[in-house]
């Protein structure tokens, strides 16, 4: 199923270290030539300071069992540089450990003042801490790197030339150490910085495109991620614009999030609209499944696409953990849509639409009724399911209207802000003309 594999595209927007889990996952799937994939992993890891990983990849390729002289020398150089950087930072890190026990760490300004007053802190120390954090990261020591990056975040001014790099590095390190709660905090911090920074339009678009790809890793591993990905990708206009302009393939992950999130079915209408708008640039079985079901009402097509979706998800690193949940919720969507059209349905027909045998289908429907998710009765003698009426609750109607108004308000606020900036710029330019 290499036809629908997005690894190559996704890796273009990820840090080199974030690509390794994707490439290793792909290696285990045997979609591509294993030797070529390992050679690419080796080429990529050679650009880092991860000597042990390099050696392990060489062994998997059958190149040699012993470490080549070149790698031995390089490892010695890496360790020497690492020791030198650690010695430069050691005094200030010792002071940090002492200050952690007090109240000063809670406020960055107080913390910096304490360092300057009691420990003779200088700008050179901050530069050394930044270099060490980056070097540790390049060596694959992500856990230790996060400590120094956190120190840099506290001490650095947001106007510092390295501040944005620190935010990106901290997020990457937290993702690679699987600290999803901290990663979500760092993601939110980075998004706020990008949204408020004085970037050009192109720079802001590039930053948001990278953030979108990194955030997918966080959202599908955090308990709150399924709601947050919908809010960010579908209802934050700047990020939706970035997806439509730079990375329409992200629609796969947005569609998956909506399908597996039963509490956000109200987002389906907006999602379908976007999928139809972008169908000329990107299509895959997951987006086509929704089109078949909610645009064309083609239940046979939806059934076939659901089968393809399972293969796509099974080979996608970002969403492979959602496979069983996706199949269950997609079947429920087919069932609910089918039941809105027909009041009395044979179980054998439903089984066919859901890719299940009649016995499985009947048990599945019984469980739906038992769990109060379906207003229906089963006639076992005739093998029929008789549907009851399912009016939309006033609460649900209110939620849908609020979501729609929120999106329109945000879009309108963005438009007013852009117009205001443009007007102010024109005013400044006109004064420049008169002053010259």
């Amino acid at each position: 199923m290499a036809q629908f594999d997005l690894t190559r595209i996704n890796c273009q927007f990820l840090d080199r270290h974030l690509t390794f889990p994707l490439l290793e996952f792909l290696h285990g799937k045997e979609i591509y030539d294993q030797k070529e994939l390992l050679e690419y992993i080796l080429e990529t890891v050679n650009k880092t300071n991860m000597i042990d990983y390099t050696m392990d990849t060489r062994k998997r390729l059958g190149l040699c069992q012993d470490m080549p002289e070149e790698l031995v020398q390089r490892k010695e150089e890496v360790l020497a540089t690492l020791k030198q950087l650690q010695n430069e930072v050691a005094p200030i890190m010792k002071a940090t450990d002492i200050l952690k026990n007090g109240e000063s760490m809670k406020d960055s300004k107080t913390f910096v003042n304490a360092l300057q007053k009691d420990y003779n802190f200088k700008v050179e120390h901050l530069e050394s801490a930044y270099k060490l954090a980056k070097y540790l990261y390049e060596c694959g020591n992500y856990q230790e790197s996060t400590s120094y990056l956190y120190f840099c975040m506290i001490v650095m001014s947001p106007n510092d030339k390295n501040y944005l790099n620190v935010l990106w590095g901290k997020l990457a390190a937290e993702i690679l150490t699987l600290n999803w709660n901290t990663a979500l905090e760092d993601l939110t911090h980075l998004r706020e910085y990008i949204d408020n920074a004085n970037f050009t339009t192109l720079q802001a678009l590039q930053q948001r495109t990278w953030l979108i790809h990194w955030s997918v890793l966080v959202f599908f591993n955090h308990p709150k991620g399924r709601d947050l990905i919908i809010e960010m990708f579908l209802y934050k206009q700047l990020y939706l614009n970035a997806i439509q302009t730079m990375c329409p393939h992200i629609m796969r992950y947005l569609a998956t999030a909506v399908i597996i999130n039963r509490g956000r079915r109200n987002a389906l209408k907006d999602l379908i609209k976007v999928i139809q708008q972008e169908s000329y640039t990107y299509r895959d079985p997951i987006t086509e499944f929704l089109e078949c079901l909610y645009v064309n009402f083609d239940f046979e097509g939806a059934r076939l696409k659901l089968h393809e979706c399972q293969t796509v998800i099974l080979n996608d690193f970002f969403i492979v953990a959602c496979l069983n949940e996706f199949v269950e919720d997609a079947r429920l969507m087919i069932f609910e849509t089918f039941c809105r059209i027909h009041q009395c349905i044979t179980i054998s027909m439903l089984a066919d639409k859901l890719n299940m045998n009649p016995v499985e289908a009947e048990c599945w429907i019984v469980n739906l009724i038992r769990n109060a998710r379906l207003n229906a009765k089963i006639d076992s003698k005739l093998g029929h399911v008789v549907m009851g009426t399912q009016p939309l609750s006033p609460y649900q109607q209110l939620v849908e209207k609020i979501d729609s108004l929120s999106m329109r308000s945000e879009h309108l606020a963005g438009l007013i802000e852009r117009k205001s900036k443009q007007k102010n710029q024109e005013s400044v330019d006109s004064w420049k003309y008169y002053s010259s």
Side-chain angles (χ1 to χ4, degrees):
M1 206 77 172
Q3 171 188 359
F4 297 113
D5 178 48
L6 295 178
T7 306
R8 181 182 59 82
I9 301 173
N10 287 331
C11 284
Q12 295 174 18
F13 300 98
L14 295 174
D15 176 80
R16 187 179 293 125
H17 291 253
L18 290 175
T19 66
F20 293 136
L22 276 71
L23 295 172
E24 292 291 353
F25 172 81
L26 206 58
H27 179 261
K29 292 298 177 181
E30 300 184 356
I31 299 174
Y32 300 104
D33 182 89
Q34 300 293 283
K35 188 171 182 291
E36 287 182 7
L37 192 54
L38 277 175
E39 285 173 349
Y40 179 74
I41 292 173
L42 180 60
E43 180 188 340
T44 308
V45 79
N46 266 329
K47 296 172 183 175
T48 72
N49 292 327
M50 300 168 73
I51 309 300
D52 292 338
Y53 189 15
T54 303
M55 191 58 204
D56 178 61
T57 309
R58 287 175 63 88
K59 286 178 181 177
R60 288 157 73 191
L61 278 165
L63 294 178
C64 64
Q65 292 299 317
D66 298 323
M67 187 179 287
E69 185 61 33
E70 179 192 349
L71 279 180
V72 172
Q73 186 178 350
R74 191 171 154 209
K75 187 172 185 177
E76 290 174 355
E77 290 172 358
V78 166
L79 291 173
T81 306
L82 188 58
K83 189 173 182 181
Q84 180 188 341
L85 289 169
Q86 285 173 332
N87 288 336
E88 289 177 12
V89 178
I92 206 66
M93 285 299 114
K94 187 177 179 182
T96 304
D97 290 337
I98 295 168
L99 291 169
K100 274 182 184 176
N101 300 321
E103 295 293 316
S104 55
M105 280 289 282
K106 294 181 179 179
D107 178 53
S108 60
K109 191 174 180 181
T110 309
F111 177 60
V112 173
N113 289 337
L115 285 175
Q116 289 174 336
K117 181 181 176 182
D118 301 329
Y119 299 95
N120 195 27
F121 177 74
K122 298 177 182 176
V123 178
E124 292 78 14
H125 292 131
L126 182 58
E127 187 68 25
S128 297
Y130 170 73
K131 286 179 181 177
L132 178 57
K134 191 173 187 301
Y135 206 78
L136 285 166
Y137 182 85
E138 287 300 321
C139 292
N141 192 344
Y142 310 119
Q143 189 67 56
E144 195 172 346
S145 177
T146 57
S147 301
Y148 292 101
L149 287 166
Y150 179 65
F151 171 78
C152 292
M153 278 177 63
I154 293 174
V155 177
M156 270 185 186
S157 162
N159 298 322
D160 192 289
K161 62 178 181 179
N162 292 320
Y163 188 74
L164 182 59
N165 292 336
V166 167
L167 294 183
W168 281 110
K170 180 75 162 50
L171 175 58
E174 296 295 356
I175 290 172
L176 289 163
T177 51
L178 310 182
N179 293 326
W180 301 117
N181 287 329
T182 312
L184 182 61
E185 291 173 9
D186 291 338
L187 173 65
T188 305
H189 188 183
L190 181 55
R191 189 182 72 206
E192 289 172 355
Y193 181 87
I194 291 170
D195 290 346
N196 296 312
N198 191 24
F199 290 125
T200 65
T201 304
L202 181 58
Q203 286 173 334
L205 183 62
Q206 290 171 335
Q207 292 286 329
R208 289 191 181 101
T209 304
W210 278 70
L211 187 63
I212 284 164
H213 286 82
W214 291 37
S215 66
V216 174
L217 286 163
V218 179
F219 287 144
F220 280 104
N221 286 285
H222 193 281
K224 296 180 181 178
R226 297 173 185 187
D227 284 321
L228 295 174
I229 191 173
I230 296 169
E231 291 299 326
M232 180 172 164
F233 289 4
L234 189 59
Y235 293 115
K236 288 195 178 294
Q237 195 62 39
L238 291 172
Y239 289 89
L240 179 58
N241 289 344
I243 291 170
Q244 292 174 312
T245 306
M246 299 290 288
C247 48
H249 59 273
I250 293 293
M251 293 304 303
R252 169 185 295 183
Y253 306 115
L254 177 56
T256 301
V258 173
I259 289 170
I260 64 176
N261 194 337
R262 293 176 186 173
R264 296 303 299 269
R265 286 288 187 264
N266 56 309
L268 266 171
K269 188 186 296 183
D270 297 322
L271 174 64
I272 297 297
K273 192 184 298 182
V274 176
I275 286 175
Q276 286 185 282
Q277 288 172 353
E278 300 305 315
S279 61
Y280 70 98
T281 57
Y282 180 77
R283 302 173 73 90
D284 71 14
I286 295 176
T287 61
E288 288 175 340
F289 166 77
L290 291 174
E291 280 191 296
C292 285
L293 191 57
Y294 292 105
V295 179
N296 304 324
F297 296 99
D298 178 3
F299 295 100
E300 179 61 20
R303 183 183 70 82
L304 295 173
K305 288 300 173 186
L306 178 56
H307 184 69
E308 290 180 25
C309 287
Q310 295 177 56
T311 309
V312 168
I313 294 172
L314 196 62
N315 294 312
D316 192 310
F317 176 81
F318 289 130
I319 52 177
V320 64
C322 304
L323 177 59
N324 294 334
E325 201 174 352
F326 181 93
V327 173
E328 175 71 14
D329 287 325
R331 281 176 175 165
L332 183 61
M333 291 170 86
I334 293 174
F335 182 71
E336 286 175 343
T337 308
F338 198 76
C339 291
R340 286 194 190 104
I341 300 171
H342 304 88
Q343 190 174 5
C344 184
I345 313 151
T346 62
I347 292 174
S348 58
M349 182 189 293
L350 274 176
D352 181 58
K353 301 296 180 190
L354 300 171
N355 282 339
M356 302 168 82
N357 64 50
V359 175
E360 285 179 332
E362 185 171 358
C363 290
W364 187 74
I365 295 164
V366 167
N367 286 330
L368 284 179
I369 296 171
R370 186 180 296 156
N371 294 330
R373 296 211 312 262
L374 180 66
N375 183 11
K377 294 180 181 179
I378 295 177
D379 188 331
S380 298
K381 289 184 180 179
L382 298 175
H384 288 173
V385 178
V386 181
M387 301 303 303
T389 57
Q390 290 181 290
L392 194 64
S393 69
Y395 170 76
Q396 197 64 34
Q397 292 178 45
L398 182 62
V399 167
E400 287 187 9
K401 287 188 179 295
I402 289 172
D403 281 342
S404 177
L405 283 170
S406 174
M407 186 178 178
R408 290 179 187 176
S409 300
E410 189 170 338
H411 180 67
L412 185 60
L415 187 63
I416 292 169
E417 187 178 353
R418 286 196 296 274
K419 290 281 187 185
S420 177
K421 283 183 179 178
Q422 185 180 354
K423 188 175 179 181
N424 290 339
Q425 188 61 43
E426 288 173 358
S427 176
V428 170
D429 290 343
S430 64
W431 279 108
K432 283 180 182 178
Y433 172 77
Y434 285 114
S435 61
S436 61

